């Protein structure tokens, strides 16, 4: 097969280049299969974390644990391959997405190699850190090729905003669950913690669940600050991008106003003709 730009880029040359190509590619069948597989494993990885917070039979809990270890192993291999195939390995290792990839699997692999599932389930730090695996979803929205280029840019921006909200809720719920599950009778599973975070961060505050630990109170405070700062920041970026896309980058020669509607023929400030002059300069 001849590799062309239409197939996703130039032909990979050498093992490192081929590894990098397929990890970044969204157009070839192999690249798409890798993307779909990683996205599905991310969903399953998060689902396993949530399921483990509910009452389960020993057999089911064991099966979920082995599933978690297997997925963590796949992601560990992906992490190593990304470093191996990267043109600049230091830049790749310090990239926020790559750091999250590593942090998301360290607790599981540590438990599997040194502690065992029973111990890991009761170690608050390891249990809390595992929740960051949801941040891996940001990797799939880092460029406009998300879902193989079938998602419009404006839609992708909206997806990122929605993902930011969901990540705040999810991470906050995971941390709150880890802090409160052993002392708070209102927190029996992840669903209870998620319900609390939604109510708390939306400032509804029913009062049926309240933090019982200092860590739980600080998680709530951090969640509120994150919602106040990150959501408006992300929303402002989306609105700014949408606004920029809907204006013509042309300056009125009479009053100097820059930025006009795409279908504007006159300056909206002074009424001077701008469209015809803009076209005649091309």
């Amino acid at each position: 097969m001849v590799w062309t730009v239409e197939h996703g880029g130039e032909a990979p040359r050498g093992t490192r280049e081929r590894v990098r190509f397929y990890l970044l590619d969204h157009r070839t069948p192999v690249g798409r299969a890798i993307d779909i597989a990683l996205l599905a494993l991310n969903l399953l990885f998060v689902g396993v974390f949530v399921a483990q917070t509910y009452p389960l039979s020993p057999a089911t809990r064991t099966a979920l644990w082995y599933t978690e270890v297997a997925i963590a192993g796949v992601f560990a291999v992906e992490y190593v391959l990304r470093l191996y195939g990267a043109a600049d390995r230091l830049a790749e290792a310090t990239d926020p997405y790559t750091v999250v990839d590593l942090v998301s699997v360290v607790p599981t692999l540590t438990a599997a190699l040194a502690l065992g599932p029973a111990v890991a389930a009761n170690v608050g730090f390891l249990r809390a850190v595992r929740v960051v695996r949801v941040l891996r979803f940001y990797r799939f929205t880092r460029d406009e090729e998300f879902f193989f280029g079938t998602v419009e840019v404006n839609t992708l921006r909206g997806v990122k905003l929605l993902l930011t909200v969901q990540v705040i809720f999810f991470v906050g719920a995971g941390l709150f669950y880890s802090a409160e599950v052993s002392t708070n009778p209102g927190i029996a599973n992840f669903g209870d913690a998620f319900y609390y975070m939604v109510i708390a961060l939306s400032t509804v505050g029913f009062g049926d669940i309240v933090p019982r630990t200092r860590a739980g109170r600080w998680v709530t405070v951090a969640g509120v600050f994150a919602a106040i700062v990150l959501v408006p920041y992300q929303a402002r970026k989306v609105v700014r991008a949408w606004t920029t896309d809907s204006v013509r980058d042309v300056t009125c020669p009479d009053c100097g106003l820059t930025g006009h509607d795409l279908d504007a023929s006159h300056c909206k400030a002074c009424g001077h003709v701008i469209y015809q002059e803009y076209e005649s300069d091309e």
Side-chain angles (χ1 to χ4, degrees):
M1 179 177 181
V2 178
W3 296 96
T4 63
V5 174
E6 289 76 20
H7 286 101
E10 297 180 355
R13 298 177 181 178
T15 304
R16 284 185 61 187
E17 290 77 9
R18 189 175 294 272
V19 168
R20 181 168 63 251
F21 176 84
Y22 284 121
L23 286 176
L24 298 177
D25 172 58
H26 305 284
R27 297 177 180 272
T28 66
V30 175
R32 291 187 176 188
I34 292 175
D35 279 355
I36 292 174
L38 291 177
L39 181 58
L41 287 177
N42 270 274
L43 291 171
L44 183 58
F45 206 36
V46 172
V48 167
F49 169 80
V50 173
Q52 289 173 334
T53 67
Y54 289 84
L56 301 169
S57 66
T60 302
R61 191 168 293 278
T62 300
L64 287 177
W65 167 249
Y66 284 124
T67 300
E68 179 180 346
V69 173
I71 297 174
V74 172
F75 288 155
V77 172
E78 179 203 0
Y79 174 82
V80 173
L81 289 177
R82 286 190 182 278
L83 291 183
Y84 170 74
D88 186 337
R89 290 174 176 169
L90 179 60
E92 179 67 29
T94 55
D95 183 273
Y97 295 99
T98 306
V99 173
V100 168
D101 290 347
L102 178 62
V103 174
S104 68
V105 300
V106 165
T108 299
L109 296 181
T110 300
L113 298 175
L115 301 176
V119 177
N122 294 312
V123 177
F125 172 74
L126 292 179
R127 186 173 57 203
V129 172
R130 288 160 68 196
V131 75
V132 303
R133 65 186 58 174
V134 72
L135 297 177
R136 285 182 54 94
F137 285 105
Y138 273 111
R139 181 180 287 279
F140 295 95
T141 62
R142 69 183 303 176
D143 57 47
E144 297 176 6
E145 290 293 323
F146 175 68
F147 224 74
F148 323 123
T150 60
V151 178
E152 294 183 355
V153 176
N154 286 338
T155 302
L156 180 58
R157 292 166 182 158
V159 169
K160 289 183 178 180
L161 176 60
L162 179 61
L163 182 59
T164 298
V165 175
Q166 293 301 317
V167 164
I168 293 174
F169 284 153
F170 192 94
V171 173
L175 295 176
F176 189 79
Y177 169 82
S178 300
E180 296 279 323
V181 64
S182 59
T183 60
N184 195 328
I187 303 298
N189 50 57
F190 181 85
D192 294 335
F194 191 84
Y195 161 80
Y196 166 78
M197 292 306 298
V198 172
I199 298 302
L201 300 189
S202 61
T203 68
V204 176
F206 291 143
D208 51 342
I209 300 177
V210 295
R212 295 295 182 90
T213 66
R214 181 175 298 177
R217 289 192 288 270
W218 279 111
V219 167
T220 304
V221 171
V224 171
F225 273 117
I228 291 174
V229 174
L230 294 180
V231 174
Y233 171 74
Q234 192 75 27
R236 186 169 61 252
K237 288 176 59 178
V238 171
V239 172
R240 183 184 302 158
W242 286 349
T243 304
T244 302
D245 290 345
S246 62
V247 299
R248 183 188 298 275
D249 186 19
V250 58
T251 300
C252 175
D254 191 42
C255 69
L257 179 66
T258 299
H260 297 80
D261 294 338
L262 294 177
D263 58 351
S265 59
H266 294 72
C267 176
K268 56 187 177 182
C270 67
H272 187 79
V273 176
I274 59 170
Y275 181 77
Q276 287 84 353
E277 292 183 359
Y278 174 79
E279 290 294 337
S280 63
D281 291 337
E282 293 182 344

